[in-house]
Amino acid sequence: MNRALPEMSHCLNGPGKCTDMTVLERQRARVRWQQSYLGGSDFGGVFLETSQADQVGNFQDLVVGGSSCSVLDDVGTHSVKPDPGLENGWLELGRLELPNMGFGSGGSMNGSPTGLEMNSSISKTSSCPPTEAQSAPEAKDKVSVPAEKMSSAAGRDSSKKRKADKMQNTKVFAEDDAKYKRSKACAEEGESKITTEQARIKNNTSTPTTNNRETSADSSKENSKASEVQKPDYIHVRARRGQATDSHSLAERVRREKISERMKYLQDLVPGCNKITGKAGMLDEIINYVQSLQRQVEFLSMKLAAVNPRLDFNIDDLFAKEFNPVQQVAACCGFEMGLNSPDMALRRTLSTPVSLPEPYLDASCFTQLQPPPTWDADLQNLLNLEFHQERSISFPYQPFTGSIEASNLKMEI
Amino acid sequence: MRSPSSLKQEFLKRWMRGLQRCTSSKKDMNVLERKKVIKLSADLAIASARNGTTSWSRALIANASRDNDNRILAERILGPESDILIKRVSTSVGTVSCNRKIRSKKILKRSCNSVRRVRKGTHLPQKVLAKSIAKRLVQKRTQILKRLVPGGEFMDELSLIEETLDYIAYLRAQVDVMRCIASATELINHD
């Protein structure tokens, strides 16, 4: 692109007087100029159509060919210069495009051209859709001034740009890549594709949305992957082959994937969910699990209230007094978890009750401490229970809950 | 995700602290009161452990401080940090109530539309029918889940599932800790 700069400025200076020329003259000048400049390029054939009837067609060719030229960096010739006549007509357009060009979906194609560069890359602009909304109407106004056919061609192009605006406004740039690919394919395949595209473009100037669909259809036909532009706020989505590429479906797919990911986490968390695949079934299990956990909390708090008449949970305090507090809490939790080495937990818990009897002898609640073996057995049961799945643990509690809840009801009444 | 043991430790610590703060004032409480206190302190303990990062914890605290008589208790349990926490919760709850109106309207509209659709669609292909049935089932269940998870009524599906994950982890920790303490005290008491 930088290489093209001096050439561009040169050719800019050249036809500075062209504003007075008629369209025809401009066309002829263009052809001559093209032939002189683009002798050896691959796209020479593209631009050699000189029939006046095909003015617009030529224009399109130039535009598309230019775009493809700009797209393909491999093709060394960045020498697709806009023809002088066209250029003047487009100069204004170019200047308008200027501030809006920036990066774009084809961000790789152009940097942020400034001033002169913009004019040089006018032909490239057609393939670079991201123009802001303002530019399009302005461009259209100014372009409609010079000549009918030019204006119609320009109108078509600006409709393409307007399309581009809409595309930019949506979060997915599928169409850009589709165009990219399309123009690339055009360049490779030659005229036939271009003419077919012209036909398509001519037919579909009415609604930009249909164009969008068309391009998305194109993209799916050409098996292109759409990728998102590097914009900070947007989510990067890649459309898979053969799938719709409009923004809504892509966003929905992202959402669905997120949800399914979270459901997988839930599957790990909720026991017994491994065999169930459907959303509804899993939600069912989750609901049951949450309900059972909540009921357990209710029941346990009731039990604790019943067991401790004075709400003094002095166990931990006592533990803290006797042992190292950190160790104690850890021991308590090791005991609670029961998932770590069972022996360790058992040993720890066995050690603690030894100290218990002394402080509790003072308490009024109880007199004797049970001998360790029974404590041992109970503890072991508890720990064993905890080793298994939650479900098995919840079962022994269900009869409890039933009875306790019944008693609750009685008390409340 | 935090490790379960650290979660339990945290919960236990806060719970005990809250209970101590609570019992220091009142001397005699009947069973129900005690139960309420225990449960409340447990809820607030874990909710404060989350520090208002999750929506359900905020909703829990908000619910707790809604009733006046609970509020004093809650504040006492939460201790010195209660002011900050409650402020944070109230700010978030304010937005929730705004969303509530919007979302309730949306829900109304949606339900009306779905009713209309059901009446119109008579001869649908089997696939579509099955899909719609499945959809409705899922919707029903998400409604139930929304009611279960505190503060879940005004969330979209994605965040609802996240909140549920967190809430389940919390409930599990709570149940384990309470069960162990209950069994320990029981055993000690019966000795």
Side-chain angles (χ1 to χ4, degrees), chain A residues 93-104 111-113 118 125 128-139 161 165 168:
Chain A
L93 181 65
R95 281 199 208 103
L96 285 168
E97 303 287 356
L98 202 181
N100 308 322
M101 263 308 297
F103 55 103
S112 41
M118 263 317 301
T125 61
C128 294
T131 57
E132 287 172 11
Q134 352 158 348
S135 72
E138 288 177 4
K161 286 187 189 84
D165 299 340
Q168 185 179 30

Side-chain angles (χ1 to χ4, degrees), chain A residues 310-338:
Chain A
R310 291 166 300 137
L311 265 188
D312 49 351
F313 293 96
N314 291 327
I315 300 170
D316 296 299
D317 289 345
L318 290 164
F319 286 180
K321 276 186 210 162
E322 297 296 322
F323 298 88
N324 196 6
V326 175
Q327 204 184 56
Q328 203 44 71
V329 177
C332 230
C333 295
F335 160 63
E336 291 152 11
M337 272 197 301

Side-chain angles (χ1 to χ4, degrees), chain A residues 148-290:
Chain A
E148 290 181 34
K149 290 186 182 163
M150 278 268 278
S151 64
S152 61
R156 228 167 276 135
D157 209 48
S158 56
S159 76
K160 239 200 270 180
K161 286 187 189 84
R162 251 180 288 127
K163 213 195 323 170
D165 299 340
K166 296 216 172 153
M167 286 194 275
Q168 185 179 30
N169 292 338
T170 63
K171 287 186 182 176
V172 177
F173 282 64
E175 294 81 6
D176 299 335
D177 266 358
K179 267 194 180 170
Y180 172 100
K181 298 271 156 102
R182 203 191 333 139
S183 48
K184 190 176 183 178
C186 287
E188 289 166 359
E189 293 181 15
E191 293 176 25
S192 54
K193 256 240 157 167
I194 294 167
T195 46
T196 51
E197 279 193 354
Q198 287 168 32
R200 230 178 274 146
I201 291 164
K202 281 174 197 169
N203 291 336
N204 296 326
T205 45
S206 48
T207 42
T209 48
T210 54
N211 274 334
N212 279 349
R213 263 183 241 134
E214 184 121 37
T215 52
S216 59
D218 275 346
S219 66
S220 58
K221 276 182 210 163
E222 296 176 356
N223 301 329
S224 63
K225 276 188 183 179
S227 53
E228 185 85 5
V229 182
Q230 296 290 321
K231 277 197 179 176
D233 302 316
Y234 293 97
I235 303 166
H236 296 278
V237 179
R238 197 156 267 261
R240 279 173 231 141
R241 176 178 157 158
Q243 289 187 328
T245 50
D246 48 305
S247 65
H248 289 296
S249 49
L250 269 170
E252 255 199 57
R253 196 179 316 128
V254 166
R255 184 179 149 270
R256 259 182 276 144
E257 280 172 3
K258 275 190 189 166
I259 288 180
S260 55
E261 200 189 314
R262 304 263 157 67
M263 296 291 259
K264 276 189 213 151
Y265 287 139
L266 274 171
Q267 256 188 343
D268 299 332
L269 209 57
V270 176
C273 248
N274 306 325
K275 306 146 194 168
I276 299 172
T277 47
K279 227 189 198 181
M282 270 186 49
L283 277 172
D284 223 9
E285 284 290 323
I286 291 164
I287 288 168
N288 286 335
Y289 190 55
V290 168

Side-chain angles (χ1 to χ4, degrees), chain B residues 136-186:
Chain B
R136 227 172 296 158
L137 278 176
V138 169
Q139 270 176 2
K140 251 193 205 173
R141 296 206 166 88
T142 41
Q143 288 270 332
I144 300 174
L145 191 61
K146 280 182 180 177
R147 259 182 276 139
L148 277 180
V149 176
E153 292 115 6
F154 315 108
M155 284 190 278
D156 59 321
E157 225 179 281
L158 194 64
S159 38
L160 179 69
I161 295 181
E162 279 187 44
E163 297 290 323
T164 317
L165 272 168
D166 219 20
Y167 188 55
I168 287 179
Y170 149 60
L171 277 177
R172 247 198 190 166
Q174 191 184 27
V175 163
D176 288 341
V177 168
M178 286 177 93
R179 194 187 298 145
C180 292
I181 292 200
S183 56
T185 47
E186 210 181 48

